[in-house]
Amino acid sequence: MTRVAVIDFETTGMSPLQGDRATEIGVVLMEGEQVVDRWHSLMNAGVRIPYFIESLTGISNAMVQAAPPAAQVMAEAARFVGDTPMAAHNAAFDRRFWQAELALAGQAAPQPFACTLLLSRRLYPQAASHRLGALAQWHALPASGPAHRALADAETAAALLARIRHDLRRQHGVADVHHGLLLQLQTHPRHRLQSVIERHLA
DNA sequence: TGCCAGGCCCTCTTTAGGGCCTT
């Protein structure tokens, strides 16, 4: 059974290269379409959270100041994930922070990332919006808690990934949706979706 | 001083521009 760690970060901004840091991490472990474990933590990276971000996430400076150090949290996250392949909604964003925060903690980040945003754009071009919350509504996914909190958003992304796996099985005839197939699908143009699947099935 | 993300995707494209998505 394919095991995937679905991750979501709350951060102080968009880019670790600009000095932005993670404030919260949530990880949901899936086997196939089932959630088998979950883990989350606030983290203190020693930087101030802008007011706009506080308002967006509800994560305050006082909350992160009371949280464990970022390096300690990331070491625990790395142990929890191990070498499990990963997924996230707009994975380019979470992968940047995963790699940057682990690098600051002296840890490697070798895991490949599947992206539910890229996969949704290919599988559901008729959706009006591919934001995580909009897709959750569009698919009628189960509610997972307040948006813009790491574990709730990781749960929603995990439910979306389960839906993607389900639709690949039921609508496209893929018996076993390997992580490698997801990585292939997300890197090909939308119009080549079916040919990639057919090559995989051959 | 002034600027400030990065990458994918579409199209009135490819010698480019702008919208979307993540916080």
Side-chain angles (χ1 to χ4, degrees):
Chain A
M1 186 67 76
T2 302
R3 195 172 173 91
V4 178
V6 183
I7 189 170
D8 185 79
F9 278 109
E10 303 307 316
T11 72
T12 61
M14 289 300 180
S15 173
L17 291 177
Q18 299 293 316
D20 293 321
R21 298 294 303 271
T23 57
E24 188 180 42
I25 179 175
V27 186
V28 173
L29 273 186
M30 301 186 74
E31 283 186 1
E33 295 167 22
Q34 302 300 316
V35 174
V36 294
D37 204 354
R38 47 178 61 79
W39 180 85
H40 77 105
S41 180
L42 289 162
M43 65 177 89
N44 184 1
V47 295
R48 283 200 66 78
I49 303 171
Y51 175 75
F52 166 72
I53 303 290
E54 269 196 6
S55 304
L56 178 71
T57 65
I59 298 171
S60 68
N61 283 289
M63 288 165 69
V64 296
Q65 280 163 14
Q72 176 186 323
V73 171
M74 291 307 298
E76 291 176 27
R79 277 195 295 274
F80 184 76
V81 170
D83 58 1
T84 306
M86 304 184 76
H89 196 68
N90 197 6
F93 174 86
D94 293 284
R95 185 178 57 228
R96 279 200 300 274
F97 279 95
W98 177 250
Q99 293 173 339
E101 291 292 348
L102 282 176
L104 289 170
Q107 304 257 344
Q111 301 85 353
F113 271 72
C115 178
T116 52
L117 170 63
L118 294 180
L119 290 165
S120 290
R121 282 177 174 162
R122 284 155 176 75
L123 284 165
Y124 315 114
Q126 67 274 34
S129 165
H130 291 87
R131 295 170 63 177
L132 182 60
L135 285 167
Q137 272 198 316
W138 192 73
H139 285 297
L141 301 178
S144 59
H148 293 300
R149 288 303 300 264
L151 186 59
D153 282 358
E155 299 266 11
T156 302
L160 175 58
L161 182 61
R163 179 58 185 258
I164 288 169
R165 288 183 178 284
H166 176 271
D167 289 345
L168 281 170
R169 282 196 298 109
R170 293 296 181 85
Q171 296 177 16
H172 298 275
V174 182
D176 188 9
V177 184
H178 291 292
H179 200 69
L181 174 62
L182 299 179
L183 297 177
Q184 279 187 50
L185 291 175
Q186 73 186 27
T187 52
H188 283 80
R190 177 195 298 167
H191 68 270
R192 293 202 56 210
L193 175 75
Q194 199 55 41
S195 67
V196 172
I197 290 172
E198 286 167 6
R199 201 171 58 203
H200 172 81
L201 295 175

